[in-house]
Amino acid sequence: MLSHEQIWGAIDRLAERHELTPSGLARRAGLDPTSFNKSKRLSADGRLRWPSTESIAKVLDATGASMEQFLTFMRPAGSFSSLPEGAFPRQGSSIPLLGFAQAGAGGFFDDGGFPAGQGWDVVEFPAAPSQKAGVYALEVQGESMMPLYRDGDVLIVEPGAQVRRNDRVVVKTREGEVMAKVLLRQSPRSIELMSLNPEHPNRTIELSDVDWIARIIWASQ
């Protein structure tokens, strides 16, 4: 069951992703600027106030976010104690590993960008998995990410984490393309990505064409 805290937390994280305050998000959606203020989340007698479905629909339309992305934001920031049903089992001393070439194929990720299905290998995680449950690893294949990442390097990816400008990220498009880039800018309609390899052009991708985006938190080099 969704909680009052989860719903409002998702609105806050959606605002942060677009570098807005809750008031700025409400204004962009054509709502009263005070609609999402902290003071509006409880009534004078302490009863919980919930955002309307109409308000949420307007916010999603204004930011170009999907309902699946909004649901992802309902997870507490930095916490993935419960993975989506059908996802890769919770890790102990190792995490799921997949090659970049295979990552574009269907069946390896759920709608939130979490590992799911069969065919994953495992690799030892270099940090306490209890602190980063839900992470997984992608193995670099080829030279397209030189000089930063070489063939055989392993990238540790955290799905659902807040991504900000200049973060190194992995992006999967709805057409199945998977790429590691630097996030230069994110607007309500598109993302701008800088290529790691200077021989490859930068990319601008419509958000409607993005399946998921996840932050790179560690790399074996």
Side-chain angles (χ1 to χ4, degrees), residues 100 138-155 180 196-197 219-221:
F100 253 87
L138 293 174
E139 183 178 0
V140 175
Q141 296 169 322
E143 308 298 328
S144 65
M145 300 176 202
M146 290 283 287
L148 190 58
Y149 300 133
R150 299 164 297 180
D151 184 65
D153 284 346
V154 173
L155 309 183
L196 305 175
N197 188 327
S220 66
Q221 296 177 299

Side-chain angles (χ1 to χ4, degrees), residues 42-162:
L42 290 174
S43 64
D45 59 2
R47 288 180 297 173
L48 301 180
R49 283 180 173 170
W50 299 71
S52 69
T53 54
E54 181 182 10
S55 295
I56 294 175
K58 287 184 176 180
V59 162
L60 296 182
D61 183 63
T63 59
S66 66
M67 180 55 72
E68 289 78 12
Q69 290 170 321
F70 186 76
L71 292 173
T72 298
F73 292 146
M74 289 184 190
R75 300 185 182 94
S79 173
F80 294 92
S81 58
S82 59
L83 298 180
E85 184 178 355
F88 197 93
R90 182 161 177 160
Q91 300 90 17
S93 60
S94 60
I95 61 174
L97 169 70
L98 190 68
F100 253 87
Q102 290 76 42
F108 289 106
F109 299 94
D110 68 9
D111 291 340
F114 285 79
Q118 305 298 317
W120 291 79
D121 203 344
V122 293
V123 65
E124 292 300 310
F125 188 37
S130 61
Q131 300 300 313
K132 293 287 184 183
V135 300
Y136 59 90
L138 293 174
E139 183 178 0
V140 175
Q141 296 169 322
E143 308 298 328
S144 65
M145 300 176 202
M146 290 283 287
L148 190 58
Y149 300 133
R150 299 164 297 180
D151 184 65
D153 284 346
V154 173
L155 309 183
I156 306 298
V157 177
E158 184 179 5
Q162 178 74 32

